[in-house]
Amino acid sequence: MNFIDLLKRIPEICKTPETLPLEGKKLILDFVTWLGSLVGIAVPPWVLTLVNILVVIVAIIAVFLIMFALMSVWERKILARAQNRYGPNRVGPWGLFQPVADGIKMLTKEDIVPRNADKVVHFIAPIVMLVPALILPVLLPYGRGMVAIDLSVGILFFFAVGAGSEVAIFLAGWSSRNKYSILGAMRAIAQMISYELPLVMSAVIVALVAGTLSPTGIVEAQGGYQFGFFPNWFVFTPWGFVACVLFYFSALAESNRSPFDLPEGESELVAGHLTEYSGFKYALFFMAEYVGMFAINGLLVTLFLGGYQAPLPFLTFIPSWCWFFIKLAFLAFSLVWVRATMPRFRIDQMMQFAWKFMLPMSFAALFSAAAWHYAGRGLLGWGISAVLVAIPYFALGYFCFTRHHSADNRRYLFSE
Amino acid sequence: MSPILFWIFSALMLGFGAATILNRNPVASALSLVVSFLGLAALFFGLDANFIGVIQILVYAGAVMVLFIFIIMLLDLKAEQRRQINIPALLGGVAIVVAFTAQLVTVIRSYKAGNEPFAAITPNLPDAHNIGMTLFANYNLPFQVIGVLILVASIGVVVLSQRELK
C-alpha cells in the first residue's frame, strides 16, 4: 500500500455518497497504517482502535459545533426577518462569520467571579453543563450503520445523561450566591422535572410500539412505505402525532427555549442562573444549551420522523445521513419560528400545562397506541386510535382550560 | 471490564461516598453522592448490566438527587455548618464502625463461597427484556400492588397541596 493508492481511493469513495462517511473513516485508518509503515513499524491494534474512536468523536463534536455556530447566525437572521429588519450582515458574506466575531468577543471578555461565590462550584458548573450535552449526540443514528454507540438501552441512556444538565443549572444558580440566580435555578429545575414526564412518556410509547429501546432499532421499525408511497413514520399515526407534538413542546421546555424560557426571563429574573456568568463560561452555557437542543431534536427525528429514512421512495437517491440533517434543520427552523411568534408563558400557566394537559395526554396516547397495535396496525387501528386521542383532547380542553369561574373569586392554593 | 477501570470507579465511588458524610456543607454532600452514584452505575455497565446502570443514573443520580438538591436549596444551610463536633458521639460512631467492620471481615473469611471465583456468566441476553419478563410474568401481582401504593402516595401529596391558605 502506498500514498498514491490512498489518494486514488478518494474519488472512488465520493462516487457512492451513501457510504461516504464510513468509507472515509476506513481511509483514515488505512492512512494511519501507512504512516506506521513509513516509520517502519506495524501499528499496534490499540492505536487503530483509539484512532477509530477519536475519528468518530471528533467528527460528531465538529459537526455539532459547526451547527451551533451556523445556528447562532441563522436564528438571528430568521428573527430579524420575522421582525422586518436585516439582522447580522457586517462580518463576512451575509454575516456568516458572525460566530467567529462572537467567539473572539466572548474569549477576550473579563471573567468575573463574585466575591462571595463558591469558587469551585462556580467553575465546574459550565463544565458539568457541557459534558452531558456533548455525550448526547453519540447515541443518535445519523445514517445506515452510522451510529457511534449502538446501545441496547439507548433511549433511556439519553434521558439519564440529559438529567445531568439539571444538576449543572442547580450548581450555577446555587454557587452564584445571588437571589436572582437561585430563583432562576429553582424555576429551571421545577420546569425540567415537570416536562421530563411527558417527554419520557412519549418516548416510552414509541419504544413499546417498536419493541426496542435502541435508537437504530426504532428507526428501522419506521422503514418501508404504506401503499408504495406513504412512509411508515410514527408521526403519521394518530397516537404518534400526539406523542410527537408532546415531545416537541417538552423538548422546547427541556432546552429552556422560548416560550418556556422562564428560568432566564429577563424582565423578572435578570438572566436566572446565568446572571453571574460572563465571558467564556457564559459561552459554554450557551453552547451546551444549543448542542443539547440539537441532540433532543435529533432524538425527535429518530423517534417520530423516521430518522434517516427518506420521506418518499423515489427520494432514496439522496444519502440517508443527509435526510437526518435535513429533518434536523427543518426542526431547528421551526424552533426559531416558535420563538419569534409566541409570547412567554406565566409560571403557573406553564406548570398547569405540563401537569394538567401534557401528562394526561401522554397517557391517552399510550392507550391509543395500544389500541392501534391490537387492531392490527391497519386502517381500522388508525381510526380507533384517532378517536381515542380525540376524546381526551377535547375533554381536557373543556375541563381544564375553559374558564368556569371569574378572575376575582380565584383562590390561591398552598402549592402556589 | 478491565481491572484498571474497576479500581478507578470503585475508588471514585468509595471516595465520594466518604466525602458525602464527611462534608459539613449539605450541597457538597449531595454533589458527592451524585458522583458516588455515577461510579456505581459505571460498575454496573462493566458487568454488562446496561439497563440497571442506566436506571441507576436515571433514578438516583437524576430524579432522586434533583429532589434532594431542590429541598436543600429551600433550607437554611448555615445551621449544619456551624454545628460543633460532638466528641463522645464521634468516639461512639468510630467504635461501632470498627466493630461492624471486624464482624464483616470475620464473616466473609469464614464464608467459603465468598473466596471462590464465579463461573463465567453467559451474557448477550437483552437485559431490558429479562427484567420486563421477570417483573410482568413472575412478579406481576407485587408489581401492581406497589403501583397502587405509589398512586395512593401521589394522591396524598395532591390532597395536601390543595389545602387552602388561611
Side-chain angles (χ1 to χ4, degrees):
Chain A
M1 182 170 36
N2 60 43
F3 192 62
I4 307 296
D5 287 345
L6 288 177
L7 280 183
K8 273 182 192 162
R9 269 172 60 190
I10 293 177
E12 275 175 38
I13 288 170
C14 291
K15 270 180 204 159
T16 48
E18 172 69 39
T19 53
L20 190 130
L22 293 173
E23 291 295 322
K25 194 174 84 175
K26 275 183 200 152
L27 187 69
I28 292 174
L29 287 179
D30 287 344
F31 177 68
V32 172
T33 322
W34 174 75
L35 275 185
S37 68
L38 202 65
V39 187
I41 50 161
V43 178
W46 64 267
V47 172
L48 285 180
T49 317
L50 195 70
V51 171
N52 196 352
I53 296 170
L54 276 180
V55 166
V56 175
I57 292 176
V58 168
I60 288 177
I61 290 183
V63 164
F64 271 79
L65 291 189
I66 290 170
M67 268 159 58
F68 158 66
L70 290 179
M71 182 73 187
S72 68
V73 184
W74 201 34
E75 173 162 23
R76 287 155 74 176
K77 282 275 187 190
I78 301 169
L79 281 178
R81 176 56 66 92
Q83 293 159 356
N84 205 7
R85 56 188 172 83
Y86 285 118
N89 61 359
R90 297 288 103 179
V91 196
W94 308 291
L96 268 182
F97 296 146
Q98 187 69 35
V100 181
D102 283 344
I104 293 171
K105 186 194 85 171
M106 285 294 189
L107 270 173
T108 50
K109 258 187 170 179
E110 188 186 356
D111 179 37
I112 299 169
V113 181
R115 194 190 303 148
N116 285 331
D118 191 321
K119 301 225 166 29
V120 180
V121 180
H122 192 267
F123 176 75
I124 62 172
I127 302 168
V128 177
M129 183 87 181
L130 187 63
V131 169
L134 288 178
I135 292 176
L136 295 180
V138 300
L139 297 161
L140 303 172
Y142 297 100
R144 275 195 186 79
M146 282 173 60
V147 54
I149 309 173
D150 194 7
L151 210 60
S152 62
V153 286
I155 302 292
L156 277 179
F157 191 70
F158 191 97
F159 293 122
V161 173
S165 65
E166 286 166 31
V167 177
I169 287 178
F170 161 75
L171 292 180
W174 180 80
S175 67
S176 299
R177 298 278 196 277
N178 175 327
K179 53 180 173 291
Y180 293 120
S181 295
I182 205 154
L183 281 173
M186 277 170 63
R187 270 192 184 184
I189 292 175
Q191 170 181 335
M192 289 173 107
I193 291 176
S194 310
Y195 280 88
E196 201 153 272
L197 288 168
L199 185 81
V200 175
M201 274 304 297
S202 42
V204 159
I205 299 168
V206 173
L208 281 181
V209 169
T212 173
L213 282 167
S214 126
T216 324
I218 287 172
V219 173
E220 287 302 325
Q222 299 177 69
Y225 300 91
Q226 206 80 33
F227 315 121
F229 69 97
F230 196 71
N232 272 337
W233 300 355
F234 289 142
V235 72
F236 293 125
T237 55
W239 59 269
F241 179 73
V242 171
C244 181
V245 172
L246 290 175
F247 194 95
Y248 181 77
F249 283 106
S250 310
L252 270 181
E254 284 286 305
S255 47
N256 285 339
R257 295 274 307 176
S258 176
F260 297 99
D261 58 348
L262 287 132
E264 33 198 281
E266 299 88 353
S267 50
E268 1 175 332
L269 288 174
V270 191
H273 58 277
L274 302 173
T275 307
E276 299 291 0
Y277 281 92
S278 61
F280 206 65
K281 284 181 192 161
Y282 178 80
L284 284 183
F285 270 107
F286 200 61
M287 196 188 284
E289 221 160 78
Y290 271 76
V291 173
M293 185 185 90
F294 285 131
I296 205 156
N297 283 295
L299 188 65
L300 194 150
V301 170
T302 304
L303 290 177
F304 299 103
L305 300 182
Y308 48 74
Q309 316 273 8
L312 290 169
F314 64 87
L315 286 173
T316 41
F317 70 91
I318 298 175
S320 56
W321 46 275
C322 284
W323 278 116
F324 181 87
F325 287 105
I326 290 170
K327 290 170 187 173
L328 192 56
F330 171 74
L331 278 178
F333 170 74
S334 79
L335 288 174
V336 185
W337 192 7
V338 167
R339 179 177 167 184
T341 46
M342 297 275 280
R344 189 179 287 151
F345 273 126
R346 216 172 54 209
I347 184 85
D348 61 322
Q349 289 172 337
M350 193 193 73
M351 296 308 258
Q352 277 196 3
F353 186 60
W355 290 100
K356 294 188 178 170
F357 181 75
M358 291 180 78
L359 192 58
M361 269 318 282
S362 64
F363 287 127
L366 179 63
F367 277 113
S368 158
W372 178 79
H373 175 75
Y374 285 110
R377 301 194 172 200
L379 280 178
L380 174 70
W382 206 92
I384 294 176
S385 97
V387 172
L388 276 178
V389 287
I391 293 172
Y393 177 77
F394 288 111
L396 282 171
Y398 181 76
F399 288 115
C400 295
F401 294 97
T402 316
R403 257 176 205 283
H404 299 294
H405 53 80
S406 61
D408 50 33
N409 65 14
R410 176 172 151 74
R411 286 174 302 183
Y412 285 91
L413 301 170
F414 185 69
S415 53
E416 289 167 326
Chain B
M1 183 186 225
S2 87
I4 304 169
L5 286 179
F6 172 80
W7 287 114
I8 290 176
F9 286 121
S10 308
L12 207 67
M13 196 183 91
L14 292 176
F16 278 92
T20 308
I21 36 178
L22 292 178
N23 262 315
R24 306 299 293 170
N25 188 334
V27 172
S29 289
L31 296 177
S32 310
L33 198 55
V34 173
V35 181
S36 178
F37 282 149
L38 291 182
L40 187 58
L43 291 184
F44 279 127
F45 278 117
L47 292 170
D48 281 333
N50 290 345
F51 185 77
I52 301 179
V54 167
I55 292 296
Q56 172 78 22
I57 301 179
L58 192 67
V59 174
Y60 286 99
V64 171
M65 286 320 295
V66 167
L67 283 181
F68 270 24
I69 282 169
F70 203 69
I71 303 298
I72 289 171
M73 247 154 96
L74 298 169
L75 294 179
D76 181 22
L77 299 170
K78 298 282 164 9
E80 187 69 20
Q81 275 167 315
R82 262 192 253 112
R83 219 173 62 188
Q84 293 295 312
I85 294 173
N86 188 347
I87 300 292
L90 186 74
L91 288 178
V94 168
I96 288 173
V97 166
V98 168
F100 180 72
T101 317
Q103 194 184 16
L104 206 64
V105 168
T106 45
V107 168
I108 290 176
R109 279 267 174 85
S110 60
Y111 185 57
K112 283 250 176 63
N115 293 325
E116 288 164 8
F118 277 113
I121 306 166
T122 47
N124 294 331
L125 281 168
D127 48 353
H129 282 245
N130 272 348
I131 289 173
M133 286 308 289
T134 317
L135 267 186
F136 291 101
N138 298 353
Y139 300 100
N140 201 359
L141 182 69
F143 186 76
Q144 304 285 344
V145 172
I146 291 171
V148 173
L149 192 70
I150 294 173
L151 181 69
V152 170
S154 52
I155 290 174
V157 169
V158 171
V159 169
L160 285 179
S161 68
Q162 288 281 331
R163 203 179 56 193
E164 286 171 31
L165 284 181
K166 293 277 145 52

